[in-house]
Amino acid sequence: MATLGSFLALVNASRVMDDLRALSRFGSGSSGVEITRPALSEPDIAARRWVMTAMEAVGMNGVQIDGLGSAYGSVGPDNVPALLMGSHTDTRPGRSWLDGTLGIAFALEAARVLRDGGASDFAAWSIVDWADGEGRFGTLGASSAFVGQRLSHSQELWRARRSAGLAGIRVMHASGRHGGWVGYIEAHVEPGVELAHGNATLGVVDAVVGSREVSAMPTLAPARPRHAHATPITILRPRLTPADLLNCPPTNTRTPHATPHTPCP
């Protein structure tokens, strides 16, 4: 009988690193660390095609890309609630090579472990590479459409879909799975400091918060869409000045001590 320990024994960190390094080639800058893969751009679509091939290699069935660019595959009986895993491969300019892709690499490894452990005899799981996870087109359209929200009528989005060859393809919807869903898991690099302050290597997020950013100093730092980062405001407030805003790097999701060439521990 399969146990948690028997599944954990099948995890191979080297395969995860191999997947992360492979994805880092798409949209990589000269440093090999910072990645630029805007949603539905050529590097983004190329990365998604790679993910689809990887999904098939780990045993996912019905692998496809939908009309927004989300790549998807599943394993197990369709009438059994499935565990949905994944993240996104699109990025904003100059992002970390782990941003989004960590969740994809972890999902691929989880699928290998579940397959090799014989879990498909009694369970179902799916992997998704969400389109536009960084909100290039104003909203998180792919995940919103998945749960039944109406798509944005952005002309930029429709032009990008046509350019990527996705116009006319149906958009994935959660109701397409007869057995429904048991939950969703997405691994992500924490851009804040909570784990470091708690001397922890792993945290579990059990709730999410929506945020809207308004710039109080538009002449100094124009507002721009970004994540609701995990750095507590009590830590940010004493350090945030107009001078800091002017000197900020283009992103604060950095991995200064790890690169695509860092060997496995």
Side-chain angles (χ1 to χ4, degrees):
M1 181 178 179
T3 64
L4 177 60
S6 65
F7 283 111
L8 292 177
L10 297 173
V11 175
N12 186 328
S14 294
R15 294 186 302 213
V16 176
M17 290 299 301
D18 288 344
D19 289 342
L20 289 169
R21 291 187 182 109
L23 282 167
S24 74
R25 296 196 298 265
F26 301 101
S28 176
S30 58
S31 68
V33 179
E34 295 183 353
I35 307 296
T36 299
R37 279 194 302 261
L40 299 185
S41 65
E42 288 187 14
D44 178 44
I45 294 298
R48 293 177 187 279
R49 299 292 183 188
W50 182 93
V51 171
M52 293 171 69
T53 299
M55 286 184 189
E56 292 175 341
V58 301
M60 309 304 292
N61 300 318
V63 176
Q64 58 190 292
I65 190 168
D66 80 349
L68 289 176
S70 292
Y72 169 83
S74 62
V75 169
D78 188 53
N79 61 349
V80 173
L83 175 64
L84 183 60
M85 307 177 288
S87 189
H88 60 91
T89 47
D90 62 284
T91 74
R92 292 180 183 171
R95 300 296 285 197
S96 162
W97 66 294
L98 300 177
D99 189 18
T101 54
L102 185 71
I104 297 295
F106 275 29
L108 290 170
E109 182 60 15
R112 293 185 190 99
V113 168
L114 291 168
R115 176 199 62 190
D116 296 346
S120 59
D121 293 338
F122 55 86
W125 57 93
S126 302
I127 295 179
V128 62
D129 180 0
W130 299 111
D132 198 14
E134 293 289 355
R136 173 188 175 188
F137 301 106
T139 61
L140 303 180
S143 53
S144 298
F146 183 72
V147 296
Q149 294 184 14
R150 184 172 296 180
L151 284 175
S152 165
H153 291 286
S154 162
Q155 291 299 313
E156 184 185 7
L157 171 60
W158 299 122
R159 284 193 295 269
R161 289 181 65 195
R162 286 195 296 270
S163 178
L166 301 176
I169 300 177
R170 294 184 64 181
V171 174
M172 179 176 57
H173 192 278
S175 64
R177 181 171 187 83
H178 297 150
W181 307 93
V182 69
Y184 175 65
I185 295 179
E186 176 175 343
H188 211 283
V189 175
E190 186 204 27
V193 296
E194 289 295 302
L195 292 179
H197 282 184
N199 195 29
T201 57
L202 181 68
V204 177
V205 176
D206 58 9
V208 295
V209 175
S211 69
R212 188 179 298 274
E213 180 178 323
V214 178
S215 173
M217 295 172 288
T219 58
L220 293 177
R224 59 186 175 88
R226 63 182 177 89
H227 288 295
H229 285 308
T231 304
I233 192 65
T234 53
I235 295 175
L236 280 175
R237 187 173 294 150
R239 304 179 185 178
L240 189 61
T241 67
D244 293 328
L245 291 172
L246 289 172
N247 294 322
C248 276
T251 176
N252 60 358
T253 305
R254 303 286 180 174
T255 310
H257 304 299
T259 75
H261 308 292
T262 301
C264 285

